[in-house]
Amino acid sequence: MNQSVSATAVADFLRRPRPLALRCGVQHYAWGDLDYIPELIGVPNRERSPYAELWIGAHADLPAVARVGASEVPLPLLLRGAAEVVLDRKDAERFGGRLPFLLKILAAAQPLSIQAHPDKRQAQAGFERENRLGIRSDAPNRNYHDNNHKPELIVALTEFYALCGFRPLDELGAVLASVPELSDLAADDRPTRESLIDLYTRVMRMDQTEVDAILTPLVRRLQEETARQAFSKEQTEYWVLQADSVFSNDGHRDRGLFSLFLLNLVHLLPGEAMYLPAGELHAYLQGAGVEIMANSNNVLRGGLTAKHTDVDELLRILTFDAGKVKVMGKGLGPAEERVVYETPSQEFILSRLRITAARPYASAAGHSPALGVVIQGEVAVSATGLEGGLEGLELGRGGVFLVPHGLDYRISCSISRSGEAVVFMAGIPRG
């Protein structure tokens, strides 16, 4: 990147703040879907590579690039030179001049790892500890890639299946009792939080020989049952067999299969969402969604992955809260003009906008910086600059844009091209 060109572009943006189109990168993790993201962003996937996540933000691992006039500037560089234009002064101070959230389009064709994310204190301590130990930032055995926590929200774009949080204790006891191969793992009396901790610690630290002795006959029984009558995606057994086919190899069963019986199976319809706080054990199984999180890439894994796992560290950060999953957005159909997905997070808020020719979207006064991604249709994003001139962008499906804080803007359907559009907007909570 030519530093003088970047400096000139940042100076131009400082003189004339305006909406900017962003070019975003893709993570090609093995679990990614082959079609959803390529079709969204309009690129051919002739190699049939997995497209797992489109990253929309300024995280150092894969930052977006802003188009400023004829130049392209990495978003972290733009923020360093224009933090109080993109953010306001208060947020620039509060978040150290960094964008506090990371937006993604996620598309999973097969299960992701059993995982959880640390809270802020745990992330800071873990990051400092691994730095002291001299573990390289890109080392495969690194747990903490930054010093931030990672609460996150997922909103379904397609039918979306996931595991989230431990089942309610009474339900958990019934499930264990109903699976012959697992019945010996159940506590003699009614399950408690303490017995849940003991159970999960036991299966996660169990010798591989014992793991195989329990799970191999279980998987074989399910294979025989599904051959007679196939399991549906609403059944845990379906996902056990799916995960086993991907992650169990060399004659050994992946211990992550235990978690499928212990966690809530969640089926989200398009527009429905769930929030994942620190310490919540979860795994996405299949589907596409819009995901937003604090600006972090800290993941502790415990199974169903070829990546680094650290069972002891995962067990240390888990909350072990058992109960039903709260699903947001239930009953809100695609005709809703604006759906706001509010969470306890101080770093992010996410909205879904439905825009028609008759009903454009107009920003609220004093809004936070906004990142937008067009999921459906074509839009014009226009704003009135500081000198009164109109600044605008024309974006199709898969287009991504940034609007600086407080700049009045409007999103409308492109004339004669699109009767309706759907845009997801990410920002910082106000109030």
Side-chain angles (χ1 to χ4, degrees):
M1 175 62 62
N2 188 311
Q3 296 298 319
S4 63
V5 171
S6 294
T8 300
V10 171
D12 176 36
F13 178 71
L14 286 168
R15 286 191 301 271
R16 196 163 52 91
R18 56 202 186 270
L20 299 176
L22 301 181
R23 177 172 57 81
C24 301
V26 172
Q27 299 282 19
H28 298 276
Y29 305 134
W31 49 259
D33 184 77
L34 302 179
D35 299 310
Y36 188 88
I37 291 176
E39 290 175 0
L40 176 69
I41 61 178
V43 299
N45 187 12
R46 299 184 182 92
E47 296 81 11
R48 307 307 287 159
S49 300
Y51 278 61
E53 295 177 347
L54 180 71
W55 280 33
I56 304 168
H59 194 282
D61 285 356
L62 190 61
V65 175
R67 296 189 179 99
V68 185
S71 301
E72 290 195 330
V73 182
L75 195 49
L77 187 57
L78 182 72
L79 283 164
R80 282 199 295 273
E84 291 186 12
V85 172
V86 178
L87 309 167
D88 63 16
R89 180 169 297 179
K90 179 180 177 182
D91 285 335
E93 292 175 355
R94 182 160 60 130
F95 299 114
R98 295 179 297 179
L99 194 67
F101 59 83
L102 175 61
L103 184 65
K104 298 179 182 179
I105 303 297
L106 177 147
Q110 63 188 42
L112 280 67
S113 59
I114 303 294
Q115 60 183 261
H117 309 297
D119 64 24
K120 186 82 170 181
R121 179 187 58 79
Q122 292 164 341
Q124 290 172 337
F127 183 68
E128 292 170 3
R129 181 174 64 251
E130 292 186 343
N131 283 346
R132 288 196 303 271
L133 292 171
I135 302 174
R136 298 192 329 270
S137 60
D138 60 347
N141 64 328
R142 179 110 192 183
N143 289 320
Y144 295 94
H145 296 271
D146 52 64
N147 63 356
N148 203 10
H149 63 165
K150 193 185 176 188
E152 60 188 32
L153 171 79
I154 183 79
V155 182
L157 292 172
T158 65
E159 289 194 59
F160 195 92
Y161 292 88
L163 302 171
C164 182
F166 289 101
R167 297 174 188 257
L169 292 174
D170 55 350
E171 182 181 317
L172 184 59
V175 168
L176 291 174
S178 70
V179 181
E181 298 84 357
L182 302 182
S183 58
D184 288 346
L185 296 175
D188 294 333
D189 52 3
R190 188 172 183 272
T192 63
R193 184 176 183 274
E194 289 70 29
S195 67
L196 169 60
I197 295 172
D198 290 343
L199 167 64
Y200 198 67
T201 300
R202 178 185 169 189
V203 299
M204 293 306 288
R205 289 180 173 162
M206 187 179 286
D207 183 81
Q208 185 63 48
T209 302
E210 189 176 358
V211 171
D212 293 338
I214 295 172
L215 291 179
T216 294
L218 190 161
V219 169
R220 287 175 179 167
R221 176 174 62 81
L222 296 184
Q223 289 170 337
E224 293 172 359
E225 291 182 12
T226 200
R228 293 192 296 269
Q229 183 174 350
F231 295 117
S232 76
K233 292 182 180 181
E234 305 299 323
Q235 295 175 280
T236 297
E237 292 84 354
Y238 174 91
W239 298 107
V240 171
L241 293 177
Q242 289 291 310
D244 179 72
S245 69
V246 176
F247 297 108
S248 295
N249 52 58
D250 297 328
H252 297 299
R253 254 66 208 198
D254 191 302
R255 71 186 62 241
L257 297 178
F258 286 116
S259 296
L260 278 89
F261 293 99
L262 305 180
L263 303 182
N264 294 292
L265 176 59
V266 183
H267 177 196
L268 300 178
L269 298 177
E272 294 180 344
M274 62 181 183
Y275 175 67
L276 303 165
E280 185 89 285
L281 195 63
H282 65 279
Y284 299 151
L285 300 174
Q286 189 180 84
V290 179
E291 190 181 30
I292 188 168
M293 62 205 67
N295 190 28
S296 172
N297 199 24
N298 286 325
V299 182
L300 281 302
R301 301 178 182 89
L304 304 188
T305 182
K307 294 182 179 180
H308 172 63
T309 60
D310 188 332
V311 168
D312 289 342
E313 189 67 7
L314 175 66
L315 291 170
R316 194 179 70 79
I317 70 161
L318 290 182
T319 58
F320 289 100
D321 292 333
K324 291 289 187 183
V325 176
K326 180 182 178 182
V327 176
M328 307 163 65
K330 272 188 172 294
L332 298 176
E336 296 287 334
E337 289 181 15
R338 184 169 183 250
V339 179
V340 180
Y341 301 93
E342 295 183 344
T343 75
S345 173
Q346 298 180 15
E347 288 90 354
F348 61 78
I349 189 167
L350 186 68
S351 302
R352 187 192 73 191
L353 307 178
R354 175 179 172 266
I355 299 162
T356 64
R359 291 186 178 275
Y361 171 78
S363 64
H367 66 83
S368 75
L371 285 181
V373 55
V374 183
I375 299 299
Q376 175 186 324
E378 297 175 316
V379 301
V381 182
S382 56
T384 303
L386 297 179
E387 298 175 0
L390 194 65
E391 303 283 356
L393 303 169
E394 293 277 342
L395 298 166
R397 185 167 184 257
V400 180
F401 60 95
L402 163 72
V403 182
H405 87 93
L407 189 66
D408 291 338
Y409 70 97
R410 173 187 175 100
I411 306 175
S412 55
C413 285
S414 296
I415 299 173
S416 302
R417 293 185 182 179
S418 176
E420 181 174 312
V422 175
V423 179
F424 277 84
M425 299 293 297
I428 303 171
R430 290 286 187 255

